[in-house]
Every structure is written in structure tokens, then in C-alpha cells.
Amino acid sequence: MAGSDPTPQAPTAPDTVKILIAGGFGVGKTTMVGSVSEIVPLRTEEPLTAAGLDVDDLAGIEEKRATTVALDFGRITISRSLVLYLFGTPGQQRFWFMWNDLAVGALGAVVLVDVRRPESSFAAIDFFERRGIPFVVGVNGFFGEHPYPPEDIREALALPEDVQVLLCDARERKSSRDVLIALIDQLIASAIRG
């Protein structure tokens, strides 16, 4: 046929976006990455030991037996043209030095909050606000419970109106995916506004 290009078009590689899953110690970061990742997630969890008894505050999470010491990594394909690389940050203060390296190249973040211990996520919120990295807040409903509406959580965390507060369950794939999609929608809207 005249005018047709006989060279088949190679499929284009999807865009990849780096997203951080952050928050305090024991808020569900590893659980979220694991629930939504389409690959077996890379985890750097180590057992809690007696050496951390004077350092780690287990109030409210006494059942916790392991902790992330470097990062969690997972991947989720949103569409044929978009793949998210998820990097879960360590939650213990002694490992926060890693956050700066993990944040390099990140387009956005999910800050997980445990309403039983909201103060554990203040440092993560401050981290992203200071660096101008867009984020949403995912309120992880432990035991399937959400005792407070998003407006009360926004007020308690002193969040600006443009930060979305989303109720979620980090154990459930659909719930975790919905939080990530809300973040991506926010990033796209921000890019369109320029």
C-alpha cells in the first residue's frame, strides 16, 4: 500500500513514578506496600531485640515483632502507560537519615497515620512539607476501625486544606490502591495547573 509505514511500531515503555510510603513507627507502611504490590515486595525487616528497648516506643503497638531497617520496595501498574515504584521508609527515628536518600526523585508520598498514635506521623508530615513534596494522608484503620472523620484528623494534624485525608486499611489491596490513585490524581492536577 502506498504511503503506509511497513516498520512496526515498538511498544513504548510505561512512565515510572517513584512514590514514598512514609509515617511513624508501626503505622502500616510495610503492610501497605505488601498489600498493593504486584511483585513480591523487597523487605528489609529485622526482629526487634532487647537492644532497642530503651529506644523504640512500643506504646500502642506492643504486638510488633519486626521493623524496617532500610526500605520496603514494591511495584504497581496503574495502566499500560503508568507504573508506580513504591518505597516504604523506615519508621524508627534512628533510621530517619535514610529518608533524604529515599526522597531523591520521588514525585509524591503517602503519609500513613495511626489515629491511636497520631504524633508518630508528625515528623513525616514535616519532612514532606519542608521539601515541597506533594503528599496525601492515609489514615490506617487498625482492626477495620475509623473512629474519627477526616475533618477531625485534618484539624488534629494541622494540615492545610489542599492535603487530602483518606480513610484506608493498609491490609487491603483495593484500599491501598485507592490512596495511591488519589495521590496520582493530585499530581496530575497539579502538573496541569502548572
Side-chain angles (χ1 to χ4, degrees):
M1 293 195 174
S4 67
D5 184 0
T7 309
Q9 295 294 320
T12 58
D15 288 329
T16 56
V17 175
K18 182 178 183 181
I19 301 295
L20 296 184
I21 310 296
F25 179 46
V27 298
K29 300 175 299 294
T30 298
T31 301
M32 176 176 261
V33 171
S35 75
V36 76
S37 180
E38 64 196 21
I39 62 170
V40 175
L42 167 71
R43 293 184 172 150
T44 60
E45 283 195 309
E46 291 295 328
L48 293 172
T49 65
L53 287 177
D54 294 333
V55 180
D56 301 326
D57 180 8
L58 294 174
I61 52 171
E62 293 82 4
E63 72 285 352
K64 189 159 179 62
R65 299 289 174 251
T67 188
T68 300
V69 296
L71 63 96
D72 297 309
F73 175 78
R75 182 185 75 206
I76 180 172
T77 301
I78 299 295
S79 69
R80 290 192 332 205
S81 62
L82 180 62
V83 175
L84 305 184
Y85 289 150
L86 308 175
F87 289 80
T89 64
Q92 292 167 288
Q93 186 172 359
R94 60 186 154 158
F95 299 122
W96 287 354
F97 67 92
M98 302 216 33
W99 287 30
N100 286 321
D101 290 334
L102 289 172
V104 173
L107 291 188
V110 173
V111 175
L112 279 182
V113 172
D114 176 354
V115 294
R116 302 170 302 177
R117 303 173 301 111
E119 69 283 352
S120 69
S121 293
F122 287 147
I125 292 167
D126 184 56
F127 180 87
F128 295 112
E129 285 180 338
R130 286 177 182 241
R131 285 157 184 80
I133 298 173
F135 66 97
V136 298
V137 170
V139 182
N140 192 8
F142 285 85
F143 311 110
E145 297 177 6
H146 287 288
Y148 306 104
E151 300 77 30
D152 291 354
I153 294 165
R154 173 184 309 288
E155 185 177 330
L157 297 174
L159 294 170
E161 284 297 319
D162 64 329
V163 175
Q164 294 181 72
V165 177
L166 308 155
L167 303 179
C168 68
D169 185 335
R171 301 169 301 174
E172 296 181 10
R173 178 177 176 79
K174 181 183 181 313
S175 183
S176 295
R177 184 202 64 205
D178 290 348
V179 171
L180 291 168
I181 289 173
L183 173 62
I184 294 301
D185 287 346
Q186 176 179 313
L187 295 174
I188 291 169
S190 178
I192 291 170
R193 285 192 304 269

